[in-house]
Amino acid sequence: MIVFNLGCENSHCFEGWFASNEDFEQQLGRKLVTCPLCGNAGVVRLPHASHIRTGGKDRERAPSATSTEAASQQYANVGSEILARLVEHIVENTEDVGSAFPEEARKIHYHELPDRRIRGTASREEVAALKDEGIEVVALPIPAHRLGKAH
Ligand SMILES: [Zn+2]
């Protein structure tokens, strides 16, 4: 399982999860890799390696939101096994802030709180408002049994 930082023609940055470099090249070649924010298929790999690492300094300011509704279609090009592992990884590497997500995401964006990766729930309207403010939010199909789980 490897992570690439990807960008679309609309200057969105997001992460792509692939079984291998070959898998990535193959999916890219077949235009199966699309931007989760706008659906653009003109995706390119950005030069930086994954920022997801345990204990490392994290420049990323893209909190993850969970919205099971939009997600199933969004990740239709990802195998269910890979998707399950992706969700597992994100659940383990983000802090669950629940319904406080929009507020927390804003505070992080405006540097009122230190950078960290969070997940939580937000309504469609809240997600739209966050995006309007330039806060990148990614919807994930996190299964109900993994939501709100205390560590
Ligand atoms: Zn995009």
Side-chain angles (χ1 to χ4, degrees):
M1 204 65 193
I2 50 173
V3 188
F4 292 134
N5 281 345
L6 305 174
C8 81
E9 289 172 327
N10 296 320
S11 310
H12 294 128
C13 294
F14 57 98
E15 293 160 2
W17 297 67
F18 302 90
S20 64
N21 193 47
E22 256 177 37
D23 180 45
F24 167 71
E25 299 287 351
Q26 203 174 55
Q27 290 198 36
L28 191 70
R30 293 166 63 196
K31 298 256 180 238
L32 291 175
V33 185
T34 56
C35 172
L37 300 166
C38 69
N40 187 289
V43 169
V44 293
R45 186 176 162 187
L46 301 177
H48 293 289
S50 169
H51 60 266
I52 295 188
R53 49 183 182 266
T54 48
K57 214 171 183 214
D58 196 347
R59 298 182 293 111
E60 179 66 31
R61 290 199 186 94
S64 304
T66 61
S67 165
T68 45
E69 204 177 329
S72 52
Q73 193 176 351
Q74 197 171 90
Y75 292 93
N77 61 335
V78 181
S80 59
E81 194 192 328
I82 290 175
L83 186 59
R85 274 191 275 169
L86 183 159
V87 168
E88 235 8 68
H89 183 102
I90 289 170
V91 167
E92 280 166 20
N93 289 280
T94 55
E95 183 184 335
D96 188 3
V97 296
S99 56
F101 177 80
E103 193 188 332
E104 291 288 299
R106 254 187 208 98
K107 283 183 181 167
I108 291 168
H109 183 73
Y110 294 112
H111 307 291
E112 289 169 31
L113 285 174
D115 271 2
R116 70 195 207 280
R117 301 182 68 81
I118 59 171
R119 70 180 191 280
T121 53
S123 70
R124 194 178 280 268
E125 291 74 23
E126 285 168 336
V127 168
L130 289 172
K131 286 184 178 178
D132 282 348
E133 292 177 46
I135 303 169
E136 304 254 302
V137 176
V138 179
L140 293 169
I142 294 185
H145 71 275
R146 291 307 306 254
L147 284 173
K149 184 180 171 182
H151 287 281

